[in-house]
Amino acid sequence: MIENLQIGFEAALSAENVLWCFVGVLLGTIIGILPGLGSATGVAILIPVTLTFSPLTALIMLAGIYHGAQFGATITAILIATPGEASSVISTLDGYQMARKGRAGPALAISALGAFVSAMVSLVALMAVAPFFAHLALDFGPPEMLAIMILGLCTIVVFSGRNLPLGLAMGLIGVLIACIGVDVGSGTARYTFGSVELFGGVPFVEVMIGLFAIGELLNQLHLGMAAPIKARFRDLLLTKQDLKRATAPTARGTVIGFLLGCLPGAGTTLASFMAYGAEKTFSRNRKKLGTGAIEGVVAPDAATNAASNANFIPTLALGVPGGATTAVLLGAFLVYGIQPGPLLFENQPELVWGLLVSFFIGNVLLLVLNLPLAPVFAQLLRIRYAFMYPLIIVTSLLGAYSVKNSMFSVWVVIIFGLVGYAMKRLNFPMAPLVLGLVIGPLFEKALVQTSVLAGDDGFAVLATPATLTILVLAATLVTSPLWRGRLRRRTPNAPEQGKAKDHAEKGSHE
């Protein structure tokens, strides 16, 4: 590993590569801030610009865009509840609430720090165990992926809060909306009502912009235009307590993100939701999640960064994209005449290890670039909302239009903006709906593939150690509210019983 790192640093630390890495993370941050673009679109748009570069320099710049977009998307998710990437949707739940309380600076800072720490840890793991995890990923077929999707759907229980039936209903609605489009098994259109635009399904990014950005804006207008947030400068800085509370969520998010990122097709969005679900289950401050808890910001962002790095394991070692952006990068590899796969590490070590080392450089540049600017970004909330709201509307609609250059995307944003507003007024949980939208297509694909693979004997396919372990975890997650509730009912009685026993003993002695 030491020799590989030496090869990588020698290849990546040239002045040209560092310069284009900086350009990449800067452009990526800007792309992430703009709603609707996202890292996949940004990388695809800028591939032609890199055709005159050497393959390593081009890939370093494109990878910088990928990582920069992750953080840029979090900035708008926290400040104005407008996720720039699908993976940053979950950051709006607590990040935006922290911003509303005048703590936008700490939210942005802890997001940057958590993402940086998880990136460093996951990159070391990536370099150390890439061949092993690539081999492990080969053993993960449709049955194992189906089990993971079932586990993901079971986290709806965690996101539902106290009203479990309502949360399950919203999750089911999300899955049903995800069913719109072409059936995976038969190839026939369903629920499209003759609309050609719906053949590809309801566009996820546009739905998120509508639900969160436009929905929140309409809700704020209904409540009455809020006064600008004028927090003191010291309120925009992290405290020791913030860092202490963020340690365990960062570790959990890193592990979850890395493990899910190693799986082909899992992507970063599922990792961010699973990390938030883990905090809902294990965090000491789980009751505060959704109200502006720092754990709800750092855990998903740590998972997103770890997953985005781990996505390169199947991409480089197997030639199978780990997510949407790595699928575009896989196309870039082919454009540059590079064939990803098991032999890539042996045939072109300078390119592979130079690219991986550039992730270290890119994340350091992102931290240096964005951490000092967190309080500056937070000052945007001082702008009067009479000026801020029109800017949010224009940015959201333009961002949606730019995805496919279609007015259909704009109408989707408007319709789901009204849906988001209605949900906020009725106090319906939004996270289960989004989770259903995310997992629905992945679940259906894995289900169809598993059923074809199984034939008449479905149980035999599911009876593998990995599948059974994941399904047991899913069952534990579903039943956790029941046994946790029983423990809570027993715990308060224990001290009282102890006191009664002491009094009885004392009385007998007297």
Side-chain angles (χ1 to χ4, degrees):
M1 180 178 172
I2 302 299
E3 292 180 3
N4 293 330
L5 281 175
Q6 185 178 355
I7 293 171
F9 276 108
E10 288 177 357
L13 280 177
S14 69
E16 182 184 13
N17 287 339
V18 172
L19 172 63
W20 287 110
C21 183
F22 174 77
V23 172
V25 297
L26 181 61
L27 287 175
T29 303
I30 296 169
I31 289 169
I33 289 173
L34 299 174
L37 281 181
S39 57
T41 305
V43 169
I45 290 172
L46 291 171
I47 284 177
V49 177
T50 64
L51 293 179
T52 58
F53 298 171
S54 69
L56 177 58
T57 303
L59 290 171
I60 285 175
M61 177 186 168
L62 295 176
I65 293 170
Y66 181 27
H67 290 106
Q70 304 289 344
F71 183 77
T74 306
I75 294 174
T76 50
I78 291 172
L79 295 182
I80 56 176
T82 307
E85 285 263 8
S87 58
S88 64
V89 167
I90 203 70
S91 300
T92 62
L93 299 183
D94 283 274
Y96 183 64
Q97 292 301 320
M98 286 185 69
R100 296 298 307 159
K101 293 177 180 179
R103 302 209 70 216
L108 291 169
I110 203 65
S111 172
L113 278 174
F116 175 76
V117 171
S118 78
M120 295 297 107
V121 173
S122 61
L123 283 171
V124 172
L126 171 63
M127 292 182 171
V129 299
F132 169 75
F133 272 96
H135 178 73
L136 188 66
L138 281 175
D139 296 333
F140 261 69
E144 288 78 14
M145 290 302 295
L146 177 62
I148 287 176
M149 294 308 125
I150 291 173
L151 176 62
L153 286 172
C154 288
T155 57
I156 290 176
V157 174
V158 176
F159 284 103
S160 298
R162 295 181 179 180
N163 197 336
L164 181 58
L166 181 60
L168 292 174
M170 298 310 298
L172 178 60
I173 291 172
V175 173
L176 291 175
I177 293 173
C179 288
I180 295 173
V182 175
D183 180 80
V184 176
S186 64
T188 57
R190 61 189 178 192
Y191 311 128
T192 58
F193 306 102
S195 173
V196 177
E197 287 88 353
L198 288 175
F199 274 37
V202 178
F204 182 78
V205 173
E206 291 90 315
V207 170
M208 294 304 102
I209 293 173
L211 285 177
F212 288 93
I214 305 299
E216 177 63 26
L217 186 147
L218 293 174
N219 187 47
Q220 290 295 332
L221 288 174
H222 177 89
L223 296 173
M225 198 169 291
I229 299 171
K230 296 181 179 179
R232 296 168 297 180
F233 184 78
R234 66 183 181 185
D235 295 329
L236 301 176
L237 303 176
L238 283 169
T239 64
K240 290 183 179 179
Q241 181 65 18
D242 291 333
L243 294 172
K244 184 178 179 181
R245 286 177 56 181
T247 303
T250 301
R252 284 190 287 263
T254 301
V255 173
I256 292 170
F258 186 80
L259 293 177
L260 285 175
C262 293
L263 303 177
T268 56
T269 306
L270 180 60
S272 65
F273 273 89
M274 295 286 277
Y276 193 88
E279 293 310 302
K280 278 275 194 179
T281 305
F282 300 111
S283 175
R284 292 182 178 179
N285 297 306
R286 54 179 170 267
K287 292 183 179 178
K288 296 180 181 179
L289 288 170
T291 63
I294 207 160
E295 294 87 348
V297 177
V298 70
D301 288 338
T304 297
N305 249 39
S308 66
N309 288 329
N311 277 173
F312 282 89
I313 289 179
T315 303
L316 294 174
L318 303 176
V320 179
T325 307
T326 47
V328 178
L329 283 170
L330 189 62
F333 273 91
L334 300 177
V335 169
Y336 304 135
I338 303 165
Q339 181 60 54
L343 298 178
L344 183 63
F345 284 80
E346 295 181 13
N347 295 340
Q348 294 181 283
E350 288 188 6
L351 184 137
V352 172
W353 295 107
L355 177 61
L356 294 180
V357 165
S358 77
F359 297 171
F360 283 102
I361 300 169
N363 278 282
V364 170
L365 290 172
L366 270 174
L367 186 70
V368 173
L369 183 67
N370 290 309
L371 187 60
L373 292 177
V376 178
F377 285 131
Q379 296 298 323
L380 292 173
L381 296 175
R382 290 177 173 267
I383 300 173
R384 291 181 59 188
Y385 286 98
F387 302 111
M388 182 77 80
Y389 287 166
L391 181 63
I392 295 172
I393 292 174
V394 171
T395 305
S396 299
L397 296 182
L398 283 177
Y401 181 82
S402 67
V403 175
K404 297 178 181 177
N405 292 329
S406 170
M407 280 300 296
F408 175 75
S409 298
V410 176
W411 285 113
V412 170
V413 169
I414 294 171
I415 291 170
F416 277 91
L418 296 173
V419 171
Y421 167 67
M423 290 179 68
K424 287 180 180 295
R425 298 309 308 156
L426 297 171
N427 200 27
F428 284 2
M430 203 170 291
L433 174 68
V434 177
L435 192 60
L437 280 167
V438 171
I439 297 181
L442 300 173
F443 175 78
E444 182 186 16
K445 180 181 177 182
L447 181 63
V448 170
Q449 291 175 337
T450 302
S451 62
V452 172
L453 186 66
D456 296 329
D457 192 2
F459 290 103
V461 174
L462 295 173
T464 63
T467 304
L468 291 175
T469 302
I470 298 168
L471 290 176
V472 168
L473 287 174
T476 305
L477 190 64
V478 170
T479 57
S480 62
L482 298 176
W483 55 259
R484 192 185 296 135
R486 290 182 180 179
L487 286 175
R488 285 175 185 169
R489 285 194 294 271
R490 290 178 183 178
T491 303
N493 295 332
E496 293 176 7
Q497 291 173 358
K499 289 179 182 178
K501 185 177 180 181
D502 291 340
H503 283 303
E505 290 176 355
K506 186 177 179 181
S508 65
H509 287 304
E510 290 175 354

